[in-house]
Amino acid sequence: MRTLAWALALAAACLLAGACAAPTPTPEPTPTPTFAPTPTADVGPPSDGALRVAAVGAAPHRDLHRLVSEWATLFGPGLAYSRLLRFEAGPRAAQPGMHVACDLCQAWRVSPDGLTYEFDLHPDAAWASADGALTRGVTAQDVAFSLERLRTPGLPHAWLLAAVEDIEVASDAAVRLRLRYPDADLPQKLASPYAVVMAPEAVGADLRTGPVISSGPWLFDQGASGQVWLTAREDYHRPGEPSVSALEIVPVRDFATGAAFLRAGQVDAAQVSAREWAELAGGDIRSVVVRRQGFGVAFGMNVRDGPLADAAVRRALFAALDPWAALGALDRPAWVGVGVPVIEPDWLLPDEELRRVFRGEQAGGGVAALTLTVANFGEGYAAHGEALAAQMRDTSFDVTVEVVSRSAYFQRVWEERDFEAFVGPLPPVTTTGSFLLGLVHGDGAQNVFGHQDAALDALIEAQAAEPDAARRGVLVREAQQRILDDAFLFMPAIAAERWAYGPGVIDFAPNMPAGAGDFWRYARLEEASE
């Protein structure tokens, strides 16, 4: 469990700092190339109708049920699989948000008590071999097999189905899930890019490295140098998807290399940092900033004893902060909030509500001495922690910053809970409930703050079982407001990503809840739209 939690925390840090393929103890910046890059052996002229994307990193293998890898879900084999549900994506999808729609299903129903979900499979959903040949239709038995495998104890994504008591085959074309308790997040969990449905006959010793049997919109292939080809299936059960004939994923060393490829016209899209965008901006290259949910930097306080046990002191500390001003230390996109992942954008507290709490001014109640533990996940992290500490010092707080290594941060904060206040990444939490129930609830397994509030716990429990989105949104907003009133946790830098893309790319809207790559289905090329 320690290894998995550490991997998740590192993944969160990589998302904010920029994609990282193989983390190193002391990363060094790479200068932006000023020359046109030489293509790798696999990079050549674009295939007809293919969208070429620069990507940093790789996945250790191809078994989605057994790995934690956004590379696999955004650029790799995850795109070839289907799930029961998928996240709504494309230029009209709400951001940030986690609305779901049918993927393998054509309809689904929930019982009035929220304890039974039934899914009717799409009659045209079918498996295709790696070369595109149809084999057979997708059955409810396939779905049941895959979900049972997904929830195998010890696998990293078993928690997605923790509420599920039984998985039943209602017929060859219908599957039924019976729950132990209502779980309002279950649709989002079934849309997780790791909750993929696999053909039972394909699950064997070679699943980690063997061919990917597809029921999704793409056929997956990968070259020896890491180049990935995702070819659109002509027989996919949702006509018109995908919008391009292929995705070509071009492996690059870092964002600077990806930006150089984009500038040279050798890829159509690439994720970039602020430094690369400063050089690319203008002309015919555009960009979009994607707000992520559940990843980034948290500011937390230990309320068990000492001066921070006093809520008035904690509120004064929050009032001393201006987290928007501190974002400049990161030199990359980020946004400020309580941190709760939401299904609807209007579940978030508006900025004006946050600015009533964080005012960057002295409000009284300062303490003589306070140690702020800052996780050192890179130069930007340390600078961001120092910027927040400086804001507190400008008021009545005497703050000592203690910058600690990644392993020391994990051990001290998340294992030993030995801190006064901290600034550092959370283990990723990709659903509303996993944040509120796991981190915030008084009995939450990851509540390292020692905070107990019966009224807040009641709100959290109520939203977790509320099937109506509008009523649940009211509860989630009330819970966020109470978290701020109790002043023990917020996220001063929630991860965001900037993607740059060329002039021929249309409908490029990389919303990626939980790391899902559903948005690739809707991106188009100008030539293909004529």
Side-chain angles (χ1 to χ4, degrees), residues 2 17 31 88 99 125 128 171 183 211 231 263 299 308 362 385 417:
R2 174 188 174 118
E88 290 186 355
H99 271 289
S171 71
D183 182 0
T231 306
R263 187 185 301 110
F299 185 110
L308 295 180
Q362 184 166 336
R417 306 182 180 190

Side-chain angles (χ1 to χ4, degrees), residues 21-43:
T24 56
T26 53
E28 296 181 357
T30 303
T32 302
T34 56
F35 53 86
T38 301
T40 65
D42 283 336
V43 179

Side-chain angles (χ1 to χ4, degrees), residues 90-383:
R92 287 172 290 282
Q95 296 195 45
M98 292 186 290
H99 271 289
V100 298
C102 269
D103 194 6
L104 275 177
C105 68
Q106 68 171 354
W108 55 295
R109 298 167 294 283
V110 186
S111 63
D113 61 5
L115 292 175
T116 304
Y117 285 69
E118 190 162 319
F119 298 85
D120 300 326
L121 300 188
H122 196 292
D124 297 328
W127 298 105
S129 61
D131 62 2
L134 286 180
T135 56
R136 62 175 180 83
V138 178
T139 67
Q141 289 84 354
D142 298 335
V143 175
F145 168 85
S146 295
L147 295 184
E148 290 288 3
R149 185 176 189 265
L150 178 71
R151 68 173 181 163
T152 302
L155 292 191
H157 309 292
W159 69 274
L160 293 169
L161 301 181
V164 176
E165 179 72 34
D166 294 308
I167 302 170
E168 303 173 358
V169 175
S171 71
D172 282 348
V175 64
R176 184 181 300 121
L177 307 184
R178 297 192 186 276
L179 277 58
R180 300 182 179 92
Y181 50 83
D183 182 0
D185 282 332
L186 184 63
Q188 282 67 42
K189 292 174 179 177
L190 291 172
S192 164
Y194 299 102
V196 296
V197 174
M198 300 176 175
E201 59 266 31
V203 177
D206 65 345
L207 185 61
R208 297 164 65 96
T209 57
V212 174
I213 306 303
S214 170
S215 63
W218 310 95
L219 300 172
F220 173 87
D221 190 21
Q222 187 168 14
S225 68
Q227 184 96 349
V228 168
W229 293 270
L230 290 149
T231 306
R233 282 183 58 179
E234 296 180 358
D235 51 23
Y236 182 54
H237 61 272
R238 299 196 180 279
E241 298 180 12
S243 298
V244 294
S245 65
L247 282 175
E248 295 183 9
I249 309 300
V250 180
V252 294
R253 181 181 58 184
D254 49 30
F255 289 172
T257 307
F261 272 64
L262 179 60
R263 187 185 301 110
Q266 293 176 335
V267 296
D268 302 299
Q271 188 181 347
V272 297
S273 71
R275 180 179 59 188
E276 285 83 49
W277 178 240
E279 298 187 0
L280 288 170
D284 56 4
I285 293 179
R286 296 165 288 169
S287 78
V288 58
V289 173
V290 186
R291 286 186 171 193
R292 302 299 306 272
Q293 297 198 89
F295 303 97
V297 170
F299 185 110
M301 287 184 266
N302 190 333
V303 307
R304 294 176 180 83
D305 51 37
L308 295 180
D310 185 345
V313 174
R314 301 197 303 270
R315 292 186 189 108
L317 191 152
F318 271 21
L321 296 173
D322 181 354
W324 296 271
L327 289 176
L330 286 168
D331 191 34
R332 62 184 63 90
W335 56 294
V336 176
V338 176
V340 181
V342 295
I343 295 172
E344 304 268 8
D346 64 4
W347 290 14
L348 293 170
L349 292 180
D351 267 6
E352 53 265 29
E353 290 293 325
L354 298 173
R355 292 184 188 276
R356 291 192 181 101
V357 176
F358 305 106
R359 301 189 298 273
E361 63 185 27
Q362 184 166 336
V367 296
L370 173 67
T371 299
L372 180 66
T373 300
V374 175
N376 186 12
F377 279 78
E379 184 178 347
Y381 273 81

